[in-house]
Amino acid sequence: MDERLRKHAEEAIGFMPEEEGLALYEAGLRAGKVGPLLEIGSYCGKSAVYLGAAARERNTVVYSIDHHRGSEEQQPGETFHDPRLVDPSTGVVDTLPFFRRTLSDAGLEDVVIGIVGESGTVVQHWDTPLGLVFIDGGHSEEAARNDYACWAPHVMHGGLLAIHDVFEDPEEGGRPPFLIFRQAVGSGSFKEVAHEGSLRVLERV
Ligand code: SAH
Ligand code: MG
């Protein structure tokens, strides 16, 4: 991966260890030959830089969806709350300015297309076949199940479905991403092609 972009990704606020980010980039390179890339869960743009680097090399784009109000566990008083991300004028979480800043600093504004909205609403109007869907949005069981059920059908044959925060051991983290990973494999439509930390990459077969 381009050294400069790798540095921007590393410096961005977010939840993606470098090894996993590089595996996501590799998945993006492979999937970018099939079609455009899409992620659910932009946050401050960290994973978008890894995917954006791949999209740039493949002459395609990344759609990055987030309502930018944070997940349940990122709200004030919760474990993953970051007070820097609260808009002082409203007192609520707003990651959109950070996302924009990350992408402009990285020079990826022409490649990463931010979509501000609820994943479940955006998908109702989605009609573009995708090379890759990366699920890293809400981690409640309902949110994860919906993201899988609604977005996975848009992955083209030979395209990839990547899921973050998949922990086999319940001691290490929440269940829902693991449950949808199992559901995808169990459906017979996807087979695992890469595994790095909590990132799983599946190909539509
Ligand atoms: N990919 C990011 C981390 C994403 S954190 C990184 O690399 O650092 C999860 C994000 O999902 C949060 O920003 C939250 O606002 C978003 N999110 C949660 N539920 C959502 C929903 N239903 N629709 C859109 N975005 C959602
Ligand atoms: Mg994550």
Side-chain angles (χ1 to χ4, degrees):
M1 176 170 164
D2 177 86
E3 201 49 34
R4 196 185 61 82
L5 289 177
R6 202 185 52 73
K7 250 194 130 47
H8 279 286
E10 201 186 321
E11 282 163 12
I13 298 173
F15 301 105
M16 175 123 309
E18 183 165 37
E19 289 309 306
E20 297 179 13
L22 292 172
L24 186 64
Y25 161 76
E26 293 296 333
L29 275 186
R30 178 169 168 172
K33 292 182 187 162
V34 179
L37 319 179
L38 180 141
E39 73 171 350
I40 303 129
S42 326
Y43 197 58
C44 302
K46 197 180 190 72
S47 48
V49 173
Y50 288 110
L51 289 174
R56 161 140 292 147
E57 285 182 53
R58 289 290 178 250
N59 269 313
T60 187
V61 292
V62 183
Y63 298 103
S64 181
I65 300 171
D66 202 308
H67 49 48
H68 287 283
R69 295 301 184 198
S71 299
E72 289 166 30
E73 67 277 12
Q74 293 160 357
Q75 299 307 314
E78 304 298 326
T79 328
F80 293 100
H81 180 62
D82 183 338
R84 289 174 296 177
L85 309 180
V86 173
D87 175 346
S89 62
T90 60
V92 298
V93 171
D94 183 7
T95 50
L96 182 56
F98 296 84
F99 173 75
R100 296 213 67 177
R101 184 63 196 264
T102 300
L103 293 164
S104 70
D105 285 354
L108 286 171
E109 284 183 303
D110 56 334
V111 173
V112 180
I113 301 162
I115 300 176
V116 183
E118 181 76 34
S119 156
T121 306
V122 177
V123 76
Q124 283 175 39
H125 306 276
W126 195 266
D127 217 13
T128 301
L130 297 165
L132 176 141
V133 167
F134 173 48
I135 300 181
D136 194 21
H139 285 1
S140 68
E141 179 156 352
E142 195 195 355
R145 291 242 190 245
N146 279 340
D147 282 340
Y148 171 68
C150 299
W151 284 107
H154 294 284
V155 177
M156 284 189 270
H157 184 82
L160 303 177
L161 173 68
I163 307 174
H164 198 227
D165 304 304
V166 173
F167 300 107
E168 234 155 291
D169 179 356
E171 300 279 295
E172 287 181 57
R175 290 276 82 188
F178 176 69
L179 294 178
I180 61 167
F181 161 71
R182 266 209 330 217
Q183 195 181 343
V185 174
S187 73
S189 299
F190 292 96
K191 73 156 200 268
E192 188 174 305
V193 292
H195 175 187
E196 177 63 51
S198 77
L199 179 77
R200 305 289 186 127
V201 182
L202 309 169
E203 182 186 343
R204 180 180 286 287
V205 288

